[in-house]
């Protein structure tokens, strides 16, 4: 035969509070045994320690010392999961203040413990219980739409939802009229008749009369223990108490998720203000990266269209006031010819002169820039005419008066007329238009299409009257870039009898250097902008943490209640983590939309190139989720570590 174990037994339980320097002995060694099926009332004057005892029995609080056994198991040694299991499955608690969650309907309040216990058919069960306590017509009502007595009946239904073995009721009628009190006591009596043990705390003798056994407490000690009504003893079978840890169920996740959404919706303004930080952060990351990537892409396009193996040779800068020794030297055509002999390094060479001229056609005239070039120009500068042709070598050698013009010049002089074959006047000399240059678009502040190109010799001798060139474009053989740079400079210095200290007599500009410099500048800019945007995300995260802390302290009572009905520490932690993640993810998604909107508007209005990469979207949404989790962790941890009764008493 199995050994008889009582439903619960406490031995020498004490509770001491230290308030300042004062030691308050509230419970001074209480011994008590309750058998299965009993209906016990605990009575005593106010301040005698009744509630403290109830909270210890209901596992909402811990004693300072003593032993507490349920079905023979020392429950004070249980871990958080096991204690939560007892609160959920073995114990039902009914509070004087009902402690219903105001944002939920009666049915949802009743079903809440099943979320944590993982019970099935929650809706049916809660409706059946509400029916049993006489509230079948109040299922969808919120607690604020119910009377005190009705709220207490909802609370009783909630305490029954996981089929507990024992119900603890702490002054359940304390806030009710005598008619409502009797109804509640009738419900408790009926439950007891069905085999559920009931332990009740009251200070009213009328209420205590309903119980079978009456325990009087005074100054933290049991004064008397009397049987009021004889009752048949029920034989108790030891119950297996689940000890393994529980895991997060889908129902629990869904409940957390929707309670997070409810919390966000019920505090609309606050939520939006909180999310604003994240929204601004994410939107700025998205739009900054879009701008940076767009600039990068535009540059890359320029690189592929220009060819990276171009060098420009130019005279050095003339120093102002003749201070430190810049000795700029001119470049003559015979220099260019000498340079061009090294075909191992140089593929193509194109000396240029530049100037500005007046062009006239009929009664229209315009000022434009002119370039004198060799036929190689069209290949080095991607300027093969789209209409007509470029001039030939012999035209250059013969000082032919032919020209190729840009589209802006066409527009200014000819309108819709076809210019090819027509004659225009350049500095009062007749030139035949033989081709139209391809469209280049804006180049910095210059219009790349407002130009005229004539043969180099024609420009030097007939138009500008110079015997030296402005610059020399050199197309380098593959892989010979730095060699050619040295060669160009060395040759020019030698031909001018200059030493290497006077190297700044000439300048050599390298296209790929320039492009690399520009690329790294845009990259640095992009990173810098991204970092600034990242900081605003962190600031947004701190905003979320702040709001979560407020939310935790506002809802401390709710946390206490959730723990009292069986939520584990992990469940509470997850609830708040989910809430902060939802908040920041929602902010992230809104921020992405705003960022995309800004990029589109900027590219439309300012004409800047933008490019939104999937990477930047994933990055910023992921980052905002992490911000939510990281910054939500501390408030969530704070909430999860509260003891149920501390949390319930919080104001
Ligand atoms: P009862 O329910 O019998 O009216 P309680 O159990 O609520 O009494 O309280 C018993 C005593 O414990 C009271 O004198 C109260 O002031 C004290 N007390 C309760 N909680 C605390 C606490 N957290 N800190 C200090 N004293 C407390």
């Amino acid at each position: 035969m199995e050994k008889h174990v009582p439903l619960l037994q406490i031995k020498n339980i004490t509770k001491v509070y230290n308030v300042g320097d004062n030691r308050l002995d509230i419970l001074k060694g209480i011994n008590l045994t309750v058998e299965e099926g009993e209906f016990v009332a605990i009575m005593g004057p106010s301040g005698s320690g009744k509630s403290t005892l109830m909270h210890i029995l209901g596992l909402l609080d811990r004693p300072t010392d003593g032993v507490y056994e349920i079905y023979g198991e020392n429950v004070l040694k249980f871990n958080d999961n096991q204690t939560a299991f007892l609160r959920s499955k073995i114990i039902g608690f009914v509070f004087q203040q009902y402690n219903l969650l105001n944002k939920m309907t009666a049915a949802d309040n009743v079903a809440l413990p099943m979320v944590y216990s993982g019970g099935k058919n929650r809706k049916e069960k809660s409706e059946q219980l509400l029916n049993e306590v006489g509230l079948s017509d109040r299922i969808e009502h919120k607690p604020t739409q119910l009377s005190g007595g009705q709220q207490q009946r909802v609370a009783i239904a909630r305490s029954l939802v996981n089929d507990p073995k024992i119900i603890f009721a702490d002054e359940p009628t304390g806030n009710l009229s005598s008619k409502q009190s009797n109804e509640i006591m009738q419900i408790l009596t009926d439950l007891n008749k069905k085999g559920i043990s009931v332990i009740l705390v009251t200070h009213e003798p009328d209420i205590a009369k309903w119980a079978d056994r009456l325990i009087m407490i005074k100054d933290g000690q049991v004064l008397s223990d009397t049987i009021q009504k004889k009752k048949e003893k029920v034989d108790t079978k030891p119950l297996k108490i689940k000890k393994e840890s529980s895991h997060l169920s889908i129902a629990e996740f869904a409940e957390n998720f929707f309670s997070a959404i409810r919390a966000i919706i019920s505090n609309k303004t606050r939520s939006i203000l909180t999310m604003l930080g994240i929204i601004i952060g994410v939107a700025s990351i998205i739009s900054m990266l879009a701008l940076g990537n767009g600039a990068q892409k535009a540059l890359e396009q320029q690189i592929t269209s220009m060819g990276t193996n171009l060098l420009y040779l130019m005279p050095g800068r003339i120093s102002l006031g003749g201070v430190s020794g810049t000795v700029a030297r001119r470049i003559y055509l015979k220099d260019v010819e000498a340079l061009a002999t090294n075909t191992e390094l140089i593929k193509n060479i194109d000396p240029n002169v530049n100037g500005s001229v007046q062009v006239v056609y009929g009664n229209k005239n315009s000022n434009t820039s002119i370039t004198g070039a060799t036929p190689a120009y069209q290949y080095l500068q991607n300027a093969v005419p789209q209409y007509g042709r470029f001039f030939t070598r012999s035209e250059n050698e013969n000082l032919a008066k032919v020209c190729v013009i840009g589209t802006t010049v066409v527009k200014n002089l000819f309108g819709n007329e076809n210019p090819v074959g027509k004659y225009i006047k350049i500095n009062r000399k007749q030139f035949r238009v033989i081709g139209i240059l391809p469209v280049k678009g804006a180049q910095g502040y210059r219009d790349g299409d407002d130009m005229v190109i004539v043969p180099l010799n024609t420009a030097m001798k007939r138009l500008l009257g110079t015997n030296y060139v402005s610059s020399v474009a050199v197309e380098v053989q593959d892989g010979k870039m730095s060699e050619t740079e040295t060669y160009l400079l060395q040759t020019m210095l030698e031909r001018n009898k200059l030493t290497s200290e006077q190297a700044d007599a000439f300048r050599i500009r390298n296209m790929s250097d320039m492009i690399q410099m520009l690329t790294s500048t845009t990259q640095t800019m992009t990173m810098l902008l991204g970092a600034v945007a990242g900081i605003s995300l962190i600031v947004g995260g701190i905003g979320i943490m702040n709001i979560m802390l407020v939310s935790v302290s506002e809802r401390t009572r709710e946390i206490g209640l959730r723990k009292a009905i069986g939520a584990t520490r992990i469940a509470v932690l997850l609830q708040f983590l989910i809430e902060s993640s939802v908040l920041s993810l929602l902010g992230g998604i809104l921020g992405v939309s705003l960022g995309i909107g800004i990029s589109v508007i900027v590219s439309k209005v300012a004409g800047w190139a933008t490019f939104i990469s999937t990477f930047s979207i994933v990055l910023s949404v992921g980052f905002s989720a992490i911000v939510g989790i990281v910054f939500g962790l501390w408030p969530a941890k704070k909430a999860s570590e509260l003891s149920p009764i501390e949390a319930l008493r919080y104001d």
Side-chain angles (χ1 to χ4, degrees):
M1 218 188 93
E2 278 186 275
K3 194 177 137 240
H4 169 84
V5 287
L7 173 62
L8 56 87
Q9 187 166 37
I10 54 174
K11 296 170 195 160
N12 218 8
I13 287 284
T14 62
K15 182 74 181 176
V16 178
Y17 285 115
N18 289 306
V19 179
D21 289 339
N22 289 341
R23 181 189 151 99
L24 293 173
D25 284 283
I26 305 301
L27 299 179
K28 299 170 182 161
I30 297 211
N31 295 295
L32 190 65
T33 304
V34 177
E35 298 291 345
E36 187 137 18
E38 278 196 292
F39 188 172
V40 184
I42 299 174
M43 249 188 89
S46 179
S48 57
K50 309 181 294 290
S51 295
T52 306
L53 178 61
M54 272 298 258
H55 296 146
I56 290 171
L57 290 174
L59 294 172
L60 305 180
D61 201 0
R62 293 182 71 83
T64 308
D65 205 0
V67 175
Y68 180 13
E69 289 174 354
I70 296 181
Y71 289 110
E73 299 251 18
N74 185 355
V75 296
L76 296 180
K77 292 223 166 75
F78 276 18
N79 66 23
D80 180 62
N81 273 333
Q82 295 164 336
T83 315
F85 173 81
L86 287 175
R87 288 188 201 121
S88 157
K89 290 283 208 183
I90 308 295
I91 293 169
F93 214 103
V94 177
F95 304 89
Q96 181 177 353
Q97 301 86 353
Y98 330 128
N99 284 328
L100 300 176
L101 297 186
N102 283 332
K103 286 175 192 138
M104 290 188 189
T105 62
D108 286 343
N109 265 293
V110 173
L112 193 57
M114 291 181 84
V115 166
Y116 298 113
S117 67
K120 300 231 164 19
N121 302 327
R122 283 182 284 156
K123 200 166 149 38
E124 292 75 19
K125 187 88 193 255
S126 65
E127 283 176 9
Q128 175 211 330
L129 283 168
L130 282 170
N131 197 17
E132 278 173 29
V133 295
L135 289 176
S136 50
D137 53 345
R138 295 285 189 278
I139 285 167
E140 293 303 320
H141 284 227
K142 299 258 172 85
T144 45
Q145 299 161 330
L146 297 171
S147 74
Q150 287 169 333
Q151 289 188 55
Q152 193 60 297
R153 281 192 265 165
V154 173
I156 291 176
R158 179 181 62 194
S159 74
L160 293 171
V161 80
N162 279 328
D163 303 314
K165 294 286 162 194
I166 180 162
I167 287 189
F168 294 101
D170 187 6
E171 304 259 16
T173 59
N175 290 354
L176 303 178
S177 70
S178 62
K179 179 170 170 286
Q180 288 175 325
S181 297
N182 286 340
E183 285 168 7
I184 294 293
M185 289 316 295
Q186 190 57 56
I187 291 173
L188 290 176
T189 309
D190 292 345
L191 286 172
N192 180 245
K193 286 204 179 110
K194 288 183 193 161
I196 298 176
S197 317
V198 177
I199 299 183
L200 167 88
V201 157
T202 182
H203 62 274
E204 295 170 68
D206 282 349
I207 296 296
K209 268 191 212 138
W210 288 77
D212 303 334
R213 177 177 166 195
L214 179 65
I215 295 169
M216 297 292 288
I217 285 193
K218 201 178 171 208
D219 290 335
Q221 278 170 320
V222 176
L223 207 62
S224 68
D225 186 347
T226 47
I227 302 292
Q228 303 193 118
K229 292 170 206 160
K230 267 264 186 278
K231 206 172 181 184
E232 253 180 63
K233 259 212 171 127
V234 190
D235 205 24
T236 317
K237 290 185 210 72
L239 189 94
K240 275 275 156 279
I241 293 173
K242 186 177 129 185
K243 283 187 183 165
E244 73 270 29
S245 58
S246 54
H247 61 280
L248 181 73
S249 65
I250 294 173
E252 201 177 323
F253 182 86
E255 152 62 23
N256 284 338
F257 182 78
F258 289 115
S259 101
I261 299 281
R262 269 198 304 270
I264 290 169
I265 290 174
S266 65
N267 294 306
K268 269 188 223 68
T269 319
R270 192 169 87 183
S271 307
I272 289 170
L273 286 177
T274 310
M275 279 191 288
L276 211 54
I278 295 286
I279 293 175
I280 292 172
V282 169
S284 43
I285 283 196
I286 293 271
S287 46
M288 291 304 154
L289 291 184
L291 277 178
N293 288 335
Q296 186 92 19
K297 278 250 153 34
L299 264 177
E300 276 166 20
Q301 252 163 22
Q302 229 167 313
I303 292 170
T304 44
S305 78
M306 297 261 296
T308 49
N309 54 346
L310 273 188
L311 283 180
Y312 288 91
L313 172 67
M314 281 163 281
R317 251 183 277 267
I318 316 252
S319 71
L320 291 173
V323 191
S324 62
T326 310
V327 280
R329 287 296 145 88
R330 286 176 173 155
I331 304 165
Y332 299 95
L333 278 179
K334 57 184 191 310
D335 293 327
V336 178
E337 277 159 27
L339 290 170
T341 52
N342 191 339
T343 48
E344 252 176 48
L345 296 179
I346 296 172
K347 210 188 249 178
N348 240 325
I349 197 155
D350 174 39
N352 295 148
V353 287
N354 299 308
S356 64
V357 288
Q358 199 190 36
V359 288
V360 181
Y361 176 73
N363 59 359
K364 298 215 184 95
N365 71 79
S366 148
N367 281 311
T368 181
S369 69
I370 190 163
T371 297
T374 66
Y377 180 94
Q378 60 183 323
Y379 307 114
L380 266 53
Q381 309 293 340
N382 271 322
V384 178
Q386 43 166 204
Y387 195 76
R389 62 173 180 89
F390 213 77
F391 43 79
T392 62
R393 251 169 85 160
S394 67
E395 279 169 326
N396 183 25
E397 276 158 16
N398 297 332
L399 276 64
K401 289 191 282 179
V402 290
C403 65
V404 185
I405 58 178
T407 50
T408 304
V409 181
V410 175
K411 203 164 62 200
N412 289 345
L413 297 186
F414 294 94
N416 292 326
E417 212 179 317
N418 177 6
V420 177
K422 305 266 157 48
Y423 286 86
I424 59 172
K425 281 200 169 111
I426 303 178
N427 283 2
R428 289 194 294 277
K429 294 189 174 87
Q430 290 268 12
F431 276 75
R432 185 159 57 94
V433 179
I434 58 169
I436 301 172
L437 291 165
V439 179
K440 282 217 155 147
Q443 289 185 331
Y445 299 107
R446 261 188 59 225
D447 176 2
D449 299 312
D450 189 8
M451 71 181 315
V452 172
I453 300 178
V454 299
L456 177 69
N457 290 325
T458 315
M460 288 171 79
K461 303 214 168 101
R462 289 186 190 269
L463 290 175
L464 304 172
T466 62
N467 61 346
Y468 54 89
V469 299
S470 321
S471 66
V472 183
V474 179
E475 188 186 359
V476 181
Q477 299 283 11
D478 288 343
K480 296 282 168 57
M481 213 60 180
S482 60
E483 238 176 289
T484 311
E485 277 185 44
T486 326
Y487 164 74
L488 292 177
L489 187 61
Q490 219 48 53
T491 314
M492 288 312 291
L493 289 178
E494 273 167 29
R495 289 177 67 84
N496 284 280
K497 301 196 173 51
L498 297 173
T499 64
S500 56
E501 273 101 78
Q502 294 162 306
D504 43 356
F506 299 100
R507 274 185 294 159
I508 292 177
R509 277 211 275 162
N510 169 333
M511 267 324 275
S512 66
D513 273 0
M514 271 170 60
I515 287 165
Q516 242 166 42
M517 194 186 77
L518 282 174
T519 312
S520 75
T521 316
T522 54
Q523 264 168 0
T524 316
M525 273 312 273
T526 310
M527 267 162 61
L528 211 72
L529 293 172
V532 171
I535 288 171
S536 72
L537 251 192
I538 291 174
V539 174
I542 293 172
I544 287 200
M545 177 160 75
N546 195 12
I547 275 316
M548 289 312 294
L549 279 172
V550 172
S551 176
V552 165
S553 59
E554 263 179 8
R555 286 157 61 197
T556 305
R557 288 174 63 93
E558 177 188 327
I559 293 165
L561 185 268
R562 283 177 187 269
K563 290 189 105 174
I565 61 173
T568 58
R569 198 178 296 155
I570 299 288
V572 173
L573 188 77
L574 278 174
Q575 184 194 340
F576 283 90
L577 269 188
I578 288 172
E579 184 172 329
S580 63
S581 307
V582 166
L583 206 58
S584 60
L585 258 179
L586 207 63
I589 291 166
L590 290 175
V592 166
S593 328
L594 184 66
I596 292 177
I598 290 175
S599 316
V600 169
I601 290 172
V602 162
S603 76
K604 281 260 156 64
V605 173
W608 294 350
T610 58
F611 177 79
I612 297 158
S613 63
T614 347
F615 168 75
S616 65
I617 293 178
V618 172
L619 176 87
S620 48
V621 171
F623 200 56
S624 61
I626 291 171
V627 161
I629 291 170
V630 169
F631 287 96
L633 200 61
W634 183 48
K637 191 163 173 299
K638 225 178 126 199
S640 73
E641 280 168 359
L642 292 168
S643 97
I645 199 65
E646 267 176 295
L648 276 168
R649 282 208 191 111
Y650 190 91
D651 261 323

